[in-house]
């Protein structure tokens, strides 16, 4: 489903810090597969996510998603197909906007965004249904500012935002690293359940060995 062929990426080109981060990387991820990525700092894990999502250009190689080559596509064109949850939920969510407004923005990922339909009854029903699966009561707090939520609640919201559209690939970048152990386990259990139910193709970066053994179909 997702295929990376002979990927080469060089950082700091033509500078004293120039180095090859990815060298002839080949990777195939099947539909619905949950792949765990581990490795030391600077190994290229985040760079891999950035080339999949279109943030970092590649020197050579090809990226194919569902038999379509997307190598030359920018981040905006890839946005409806590739969702991402980051380590810090404050980056993915907007503090001075309500939960409903954040979800509305996520729903329009890759499209022309605006506020016209934020109050739509159908949308609110959808948002409540999505949030209810978290078991945190956020479905009853749609008008609350996101900045009032705890770190774990914001990360859970980030996950729901990433899954609002029928994206082909979900990228999880150390999503529990900023959380306390209890909340980290809760977020991982929620993530695994939702990913399995929706059969999302998922790649996750983690340094947590127990998560690697418990949730991944395979580890790279």
């Amino acid at each position: 489903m997702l295929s990376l062929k002979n990927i080469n990426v060089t950082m700091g080109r033509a500078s004293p810090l120039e180095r090859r981060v990815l060298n002839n990387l080949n990777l195939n991820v099947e539909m619905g597969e949950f792949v765990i990525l581990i490795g030391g700092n600077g190994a290229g894990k985040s760079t891999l996510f950035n080339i999949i999502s279109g943030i970092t250009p590649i020197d050579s190689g090809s990226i194919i998603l569902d038999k379509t080559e997307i190598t030359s596509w920018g981040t905006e064109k890839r946005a409806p197909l590739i969702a991402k949850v980051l380590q810090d939920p404050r980056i993915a969510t907007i503090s001075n906007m309500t939960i409903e407004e954040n979800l509305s923005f996520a729903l329009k990922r890759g499209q022309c965004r605006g506020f016209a339909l934020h109050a739509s009854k159908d949308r609110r029903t959808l948002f409540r249904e999505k949030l209810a699966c978290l078991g945190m009561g956020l479905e009853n707090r749609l008008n609350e500012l996101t900045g009032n939520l705890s770190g774990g609640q914001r990360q859970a919201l980030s996950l729901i935002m990433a899954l609002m559209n029928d994206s082909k690939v979900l990228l999880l970048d150390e999503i529990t690293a900023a959380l306390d152990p209890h909340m980290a386990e809760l977020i991982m259990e929620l993530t695994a359940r939702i990913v399995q139910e929706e059969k999302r193709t998922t790649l996750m970066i983690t340094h947590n060995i127990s998560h690697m053994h418990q949730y991944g179909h395979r580890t790279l």
Side-chain angles (χ1 to χ4, degrees):
M1 181 190 181
L2 173 65
S3 180
L4 282 69
K5 298 182 177 180
N6 301 316
I7 300 294
N8 291 288
V9 175
T10 302
M11 306 299 285
R13 185 179 293 278
S15 79
L17 299 178
E18 178 178 324
R19 71 185 185 96
R20 179 68 60 88
V21 179
L22 299 178
N23 186 32
N24 287 325
L25 174 71
N26 289 277
L27 173 63
N28 291 298
V29 182
E30 300 300 325
M31 182 175 68
E33 190 175 17
F34 198 143
V35 177
I36 305 294
L37 301 175
I38 62 172
N41 294 332
K45 304 182 302 297
S46 294
T47 299
L48 175 61
F49 274 18
N50 287 339
I51 67 168
I52 293 173
S53 56
I55 296 172
T56 298
I58 62 176
D59 301 337
S60 60
S62 60
I63 303 172
I64 300 170
L65 182 59
D66 266 0
K67 299 181 180 180
T68 300
E69 182 159 351
I70 64 171
T71 311
S72 62
W73 292 13
T75 53
E76 186 173 351
K77 191 172 182 179
R78 296 188 198 188
L81 303 176
I82 299 169
K84 190 174 184 179
V85 182
L86 302 172
Q87 176 178 337
D88 188 347
R90 293 173 299 180
I91 297 175
T93 55
I94 303 173
S95 297
N96 61 355
M97 292 175 60
T98 66
I99 293 174
E100 181 179 0
E101 290 169 340
N102 273 274
L103 289 169
S104 294
F105 263 51
L107 188 62
K108 298 289 286 182
R109 184 185 295 112
Q111 305 173 35
C112 181
R113 297 178 177 176
F115 288 90
L117 296 178
H118 278 194
S120 163
K121 182 179 179 180
D122 289 341
R123 283 193 173 193
R124 284 187 173 179
T125 299
L126 173 64
F127 295 162
R128 288 193 177 100
E129 289 175 353
K130 294 287 188 179
L131 291 171
C133 75
L134 298 174
M136 295 181 173
L138 296 182
E139 67 274 17
N140 300 317
R141 301 167 64 181
L142 288 177
N143 294 322
E144 185 163 348
L145 291 177
T146 303
N148 293 338
L149 303 181
S150 68
Q153 290 171 330
R154 286 183 76 160
Q155 192 64 299
L157 176 60
S158 297
L159 176 63
I160 295 299
M161 290 171 64
L163 296 170
M164 283 303 298
N165 291 293
D166 294 327
S167 57
K168 303 291 184 182
V169 176
L170 175 64
L171 305 177
L172 306 175
D173 193 351
E174 296 192 68
I175 61 171
T176 64
L179 306 177
D180 65 69
H182 173 73
M183 186 56 70
E185 292 305 318
L186 176 60
I187 291 297
M188 275 309 309
E189 290 171 6
L190 288 169
T191 300
R193 175 168 56 81
I194 294 172
V195 165
Q196 182 177 16
E197 289 174 354
E198 301 196 2
K199 295 180 172 59
R200 300 279 181 142
T201 302
T202 303
L203 291 88
M204 182 175 79
I205 295 172
T206 185
H207 292 290
N208 190 310
I209 302 301
S210 65
H211 289 171
M212 177 187 74
H213 292 299
Q214 188 172 357
Y215 299 108
H217 294 154
R218 63 181 167 122
T219 300
L220 304 176

